[in-house]
Amino acid sequence: MNLDPVLLDRIQAGFTFAFHIIFPSFTIGLSAYVATLALMWIATGEERFHRLAFFWTKIFAVSFAMGVVSGVVLSYQFGTNWSRFSVVTGNVLGPLLGYEVLAAFFLEATFLGIMLFGWGRVPAWLQALSAVIVAFGTLLSAFWILSANSWMQTPAGHEIRDGIAYPADWIAIVFNPSFPYRFAHMVTAAYLTTAMVVLAVGARHVAAGRRIAEGRTMLRMAIGMLAVLAPLQLLLGDQHGLNTLAHQPVKIAAIEAHWDGSKPGKLVLFAWPDARSETNRYELAIPNAGSLILTHGLNGLFPGLTSVGAADRPPLLPVFFAFRIMVGIGFLMIAIAYVGLWLWWRRRLFETRWFLWLAAQTWWLGFVAVISGWIVTETGRQPWAVTGILRTTDATSPVGAPSVAVSLLLFILVYGIVFSMGIYYINRLIARGAEGRAAEPPPAGTPMRPLASVADAGREILGSQPQP
Amino acid sequence: MEWYLPVIWAAVIGIAVAMYVILDGFDLGIGLLFPFAKSERERDQMMNSVAPFWDGNETWLVLGGVGLFVVFPRAYAIIMPAFYLPVILMLLGLVFRGVAFEFRWIALSSKPVWNLGFTAGSAIAGFCQGLILGGLIQGIKVENGAFAGSAFDWATPFSVLCGFGVLAGYALLGATWLVLKTEGAVAERARAHAKLLLVAVLAFMAVVSLWTPLAFERIAARWFSFPNILFLWPVPLVTALVALAAWRWLEAGRELLPFVAAIALFLLGYLGLVISSFPYLVPPALTVWQTAAPPASQIFMLLGTVALLPLVLAYVVFVYWIFRGKVREGEGYH
């Protein structure tokens, strides 16, 4: 048996990163949602906001824990599996990750304790403030990690000596060319992902006739969020694409399955890009529309795949198809948002059964879009680990294939068990709904008060059987 | 500057590792003591005593790992591949341990699974940390600035001994934490466990202290050469005095002091290891200076650390203060 360690390293990296990204893309938005609910509860004193904040906090806790444990793995994987990458890029990327830990991780992790366990022990304003701090921490974390990731895509502000990157200009490194676009695109994606889940949970509550006030609140908040962010995401994605064309033209050529740069680009709706014959099979395309999108001119030219040798092209199929899945979901979200908005305007939102049914089923759209987008950008970067500086095949550790094979199998086994259970438990929490007695408003200034009332509320929720 | 920066950084990372070992040490120790609880209510009580803190505590491990990557990328790139399997197993253990905190509350029929996951995850993580520690003390085979050994170089009787030693130490921290934070049967049992564990920890410390100078010449030279020995002889003496005090405080029914003493024992053991190995970061091949990032990277990170680390410490203290006092049965947000 002859296993290729680089391939195993790549599968393991892809697997562990893809698993991790699911949770932050949910918790970035969810922490902001819980913070919003907690603030609205304080502002209005309305019980539904409090009940919703409590309900979503429990779901947040489970998701966040899975995000944390799968994230710790990643901070060590740079060394265990990608040690040559660490040596080449450590001088530049290391500090970005260091700032993520110092500025963001500690903030999130520490105030998470108050956010989750402060009920009854701290005043309501401090509880709400902790939720705001956690939400802010997740954004800071995204800032630094996307800065690091963007530097791998579009490195800047460094100089290479003896094959190793040295920092020259930190501002240029942190704010490298693709970073602002990637950051805006990813954070918006996280909020959209959360909004789709909130929409689905709200729709289930309304459709089942349970906790109608809370269900309607969730539906309205989610539709409002989607109506603003889904079209905005289309615009941000377009801008991000233009930025990629400027800095990583081969990735755009792979996305568009555009082979010949001497001709205007088509908008390929469907095809099977064939790397061997360097053509598209079964192509369905709109002539010149690709050029229109990317160059804002019908006859504009942009580089094709044949502008570089086959060894410098990314794998075509994942990039090409993942991009179409992502964009398709983006349009679907816009459609759902505006149908919902129209029904809301016509005062039929809570009675239109087919829409509630549809909204209840589509909770997963954001997650698939995020993973697809991630496949587009990371696979599209290949064959480079860091564009123009380090090839993926030169980035791995001197660890033998058997060790990596063992660890990969363990990751698949453990993640398979842990995360399928986690998703099952989250689903159970959602199925129970925003039921039970919400916690009593904590009297200020009695931090040592026992949490009996909250615990009882929790027991009441947990003790009740999931309802059909 | 080129000389001082790596030393400052070694100190910062050393503090991060010490913080991790102490803070996550008592969390992991509670995982180890979990099977001795008599009922789910007792287990709830034990888990609640650390539930608000565990995530923050584990973040020190991330800081240690990332700190190494930031400041000593060449050491990071050697140590991680050298301990590939123990590092991966430790991370997977932490996965089980971490999710058990949340899953255990939601699980109905599968609750025992997550009780076991909590204990097994804690045990695997702690044991692997001991293996890595032992492996580091033994040294790593390095050629041309890269790891040149094989996958199981770390697997020796000495590293296994260190694995069990770390488990005993974590369990002692956990037991004394329970003495401090809980009441009733859980606290009483923890007090009894703490005495046994104190003896075990001292035994492990003694064996490691004898084994390392006998097996590794550089460590013997460090401790027993003149004039080093003049400065170093109080270290074992102070350790013995602290252990004696810990025993007395446990006997006398004190609540805070045994935990303080357990921390002091850990720090003394840690100090001993630092004395044995400094300035080698990858013994016996590479020092902190040979593996350091360029000054520009170190300074950029140091500015942030000087500003942010005190802030981090301040809110960590704040959260411990918010959740001060005893945990009672039935507390929790769930």
Side-chain angles (χ1 to χ4, degrees):
Chain A
M1 193 168 61
N2 201 2
L3 291 166
D4 174 12
V6 176
L7 182 67
L8 290 171
D9 281 324
R10 291 183 61 181
I11 294 171
Q12 182 170 310
F15 182 74
T16 49
F17 274 92
F19 248 102
H20 174 67
I21 202 175
I22 293 172
F23 299 103
S25 51
F26 184 40
T27 51
I28 288 173
L30 196 52
S31 56
Y33 187 53
V34 170
T36 308
L37 290 167
L39 290 175
M40 289 182 79
W41 175 55
I42 290 178
T44 65
E46 286 187 42
E47 186 55 29
R48 63 192 162 115
F49 290 120
H50 191 215
R51 197 186 297 275
L52 281 174
F54 198 69
F55 168 66
W56 284 106
T57 298
K58 286 183 290 181
I59 293 165
F60 174 80
V62 179
S63 315
F64 197 83
M66 290 193 282
V68 168
V69 295
S70 58
V72 174
V73 169
L74 301 181
S75 66
Y76 279 81
Q77 196 165 252
F78 289 118
T80 52
N81 294 71
W82 303 93
S83 67
R84 282 187 281 253
F85 170 86
S86 306
V87 171
V88 171
T89 67
N91 302 333
V92 175
L93 287 186
L96 305 186
L97 301 180
Y99 270 96
E100 185 187 12
V101 178
L102 276 174
F105 283 174
F106 276 112
L107 200 65
E108 294 169 45
T110 310
F111 283 91
L112 181 76
I114 302 181
M115 180 179 169
L116 299 186
F117 295 91
W119 302 90
R121 204 181 257 263
V122 300
W125 65 265
L126 181 54
Q127 177 98 36
L129 180 67
S130 300
V132 172
I133 291 174
V134 171
F136 176 69
T138 62
L139 278 183
L140 265 183
S141 179
F143 176 95
W144 289 107
I145 200 69
L146 289 170
S147 174
N149 178 257
S150 298
W151 190 85
M152 291 166 63
Q153 304 277 353
T154 55
H158 64 282
E159 48 195 42
I160 304 286
R161 296 200 296 270
D162 304 328
I164 289 176
Y166 288 84
D169 177 354
W170 285 109
I171 299 290
I173 289 169
V174 174
F175 296 94
N176 60 77
S178 66
F179 168 60
Y181 299 93
R182 195 181 312 278
F183 182 55
H185 195 50
M186 181 67 216
V187 169
T188 309
Y191 285 137
L192 280 171
T193 301
T194 308
M196 289 305 294
V197 176
V198 173
L199 181 78
V201 173
R204 286 180 195 188
H205 275 74
V206 172
R210 290 193 299 147
R211 290 282 161 210
I212 300 281
E214 284 79 5
R216 289 181 173 186
T217 303
M218 284 189 269
L219 270 179
R220 281 192 290 254
M221 290 175 93
I223 287 175
M225 195 75 175
L226 289 166
V228 175
L229 289 187
L232 178 69
Q233 185 71 322
L234 187 66
L235 185 69
L236 290 171
D238 175 59
Q239 294 298 310
H240 192 5
L242 295 181
N243 175 268
T244 308
L245 177 62
H247 296 278
Q248 295 172 288
V250 183
K251 186 194 279 187
I252 289 290
I255 286 171
E256 302 292 345
H258 180 55
W259 292 94
D260 184 355
S262 67
K263 293 178 190 150
K266 294 175 272 193
L267 179 62
V268 181
L269 299 177
F270 182 84
W272 188 267
D274 181 3
R276 192 168 300 169
S277 66
E278 303 195 338
T279 53
N280 293 337
R281 293 169 190 266
Y282 321 112
E283 184 182 270
L284 174 66
I286 305 169
N288 298 63
S291 286
L292 185 65
I293 292 170
L294 284 161
T295 67
H296 295 177
L298 277 176
N299 292 310
L301 298 179
F302 60 97
L305 282 164
T306 52
S307 66
V308 293
D312 288 339
R313 294 174 202 159
L316 295 179
L317 294 176
V319 178
F320 179 85
F321 284 107
F323 181 79
R324 274 147 192 77
I325 292 169
M326 176 185 75
V327 174
I329 288 176
F331 280 111
L332 192 54
M333 284 182 183
I334 295 175
I336 289 171
Y338 280 85
V339 169
L341 205 58
W342 187 75
L343 289 171
W344 186 3
W345 179 58
R346 303 298 300 170
R347 298 177 185 282
R348 296 211 307 264
L349 176 60
F350 306 123
E351 289 78 36
T352 309
R353 305 296 301 184
W354 66 266
F355 181 77
L356 293 177
W357 180 86
L358 179 75
Q361 307 308 316
T362 48
W363 61 269
W364 49 272
L365 283 178
F367 296 101
V368 175
V370 164
I371 290 184
S372 302
W374 176 78
I375 290 172
V376 172
T377 198
E378 305 305 332
T379 313
R381 188 191 65 225
Q382 305 299 329
W384 299 97
V386 183
T387 307
I389 294 177
L390 181 68
R391 281 176 190 270
T392 307
T393 46
D394 299 329
T396 55
S397 294
V399 172
S403 292
V404 185
V406 167
S407 67
L408 177 58
L409 285 176
L410 284 173
F411 272 118
I412 291 173
L413 186 72
V414 170
Y415 280 23
I417 295 170
V418 166
F419 294 102
S420 54
M421 288 304 284
I423 288 160
Y424 170 75
Y425 287 140
I426 288 178
N427 205 38
R428 179 188 280 175
L429 285 173
I430 288 174
R432 279 174 188 154
E435 293 289 340
R437 180 160 54 88
E440 314 232 322
T446 52
M448 292 306 292
R449 182 175 157 271
L451 289 188
S453 64
V454 186
D456 288 345
R459 293 242 160 64
E460 200 176 321
I461 297 163
L462 298 178
S464 63
Q465 289 304 308
Q467 293 171 19
Chain B
M1 209 59 179
E2 298 250 350
W3 192 89
Y4 282 110
L5 272 173
V7 177
I8 295 169
W9 268 111
V12 171
I13 293 172
I15 290 168
V17 171
M19 289 293 285
Y20 172 74
V21 167
I22 290 165
L23 294 177
D24 211 23
F26 69 74
D27 296 358
L28 292 166
I30 284 171
L32 298 172
L33 297 171
F34 223 48
F36 298 100
K38 297 286 183 241
S39 67
E40 288 302 329
R41 284 184 77 84
E42 287 189 7
R43 276 188 276 272
D44 289 356
Q45 205 182 345
M46 291 167 79
M47 208 173 217
N48 273 337
S49 77
V50 289
F53 313 116
W54 76 269
D55 188 3
N57 294 348
E58 196 172 299
T59 306
W60 292 98
L61 180 70
V62 181
L63 182 65
V66 169
L68 205 58
F69 180 35
V70 177
V71 190
F72 304 105
R74 277 172 285 243
Y76 179 76
I78 293 168
I79 294 171
M80 296 300 153
F83 300 112
Y84 186 81
L85 290 173
V87 168
I88 298 281
L89 283 176
M90 172 191 83
L91 295 170
L92 291 172
L94 291 174
V95 167
F96 270 106
R97 189 282 297 251
V99 297
F101 273 105
E102 297 301 331
F103 288 2
R104 196 178 157 272
W105 295 102
I106 315 164
L108 301 172
S109 56
S110 52
K111 201 163 188 169
V113 174
W114 296 111
N115 288 340
L116 180 66
F118 188 56
T119 299
S122 301
I124 291 169
F127 188 70
C128 289
Q129 287 167 8
L131 286 179
I132 296 165
L133 175 71
L136 261 182
I137 297 170
Q138 288 169 182
I140 299 172
K141 190 177 176 200
V142 177
E143 278 167 19
N144 299 322
F147 171 59
S150 59
F152 290 95
D153 281 4
W154 46 267
T156 62
F158 177 71
S159 64
V160 171
L161 174 84
C162 290
F164 285 113
V166 166
L167 285 184
Y170 284 170
L172 174 66
L173 279 172
T176 51
W177 173 259
L178 289 176
V179 168
L180 172 64
K181 294 294 282 187
T182 63
E183 292 171 317
V186 173
E188 281 166 35
R189 195 174 310 116
R191 195 178 287 279
H193 283 154
K195 287 188 205 162
L196 293 175
L197 289 163
L198 181 62
V199 175
V201 167
L202 282 178
F204 277 113
M205 286 176 101
V207 174
V208 170
S209 305
L210 291 174
W211 192 322
T212 48
L214 290 174
F216 308 105
E217 209 163 294
R218 67 191 148 82
I219 294 178
R222 173 61 56 86
W223 284 88
F224 301 118
S225 68
F226 196 80
N228 291 8
I229 195 162
L230 290 182
F231 302 103
L232 296 179
W233 68 265
V235 176
L237 183 72
V238 172
T239 307
L241 289 175
V242 169
L244 186 66
W247 181 270
R248 292 228 162 146
W249 287 329
L250 281 168
E251 291 266 295
R254 305 298 288 261
E255 294 187 333
L256 174 63
L257 288 171
F259 183 59
V260 174
I263 292 175
L265 276 182
F266 250 87
L267 291 178
L268 284 162
Y270 188 67
L271 180 69
L273 296 174
V274 170
I275 291 170
S276 294
S277 292
F278 194 84
Y280 289 101
L281 201 54
V282 186
L286 297 169
T287 65
V288 291
W289 299 286
Q290 289 164 318
T291 54
S297 300
Q298 295 186 58
I299 290 171
F300 177 62
M301 196 65 231
L302 196 60
L303 293 176
T305 306
V306 167
L308 290 168
L309 200 57
L311 188 68
V312 167
L313 288 169
Y315 58 65
V316 166
V317 169
F318 174 66
V319 166
Y320 275 87
W321 180 78
I322 291 272
F323 294 100
R324 70 194 180 280
K326 298 277 185 190
V327 176
R328 291 173 188 85
E329 284 189 49
E331 265 200 335
Y333 78 100
H334 297 88

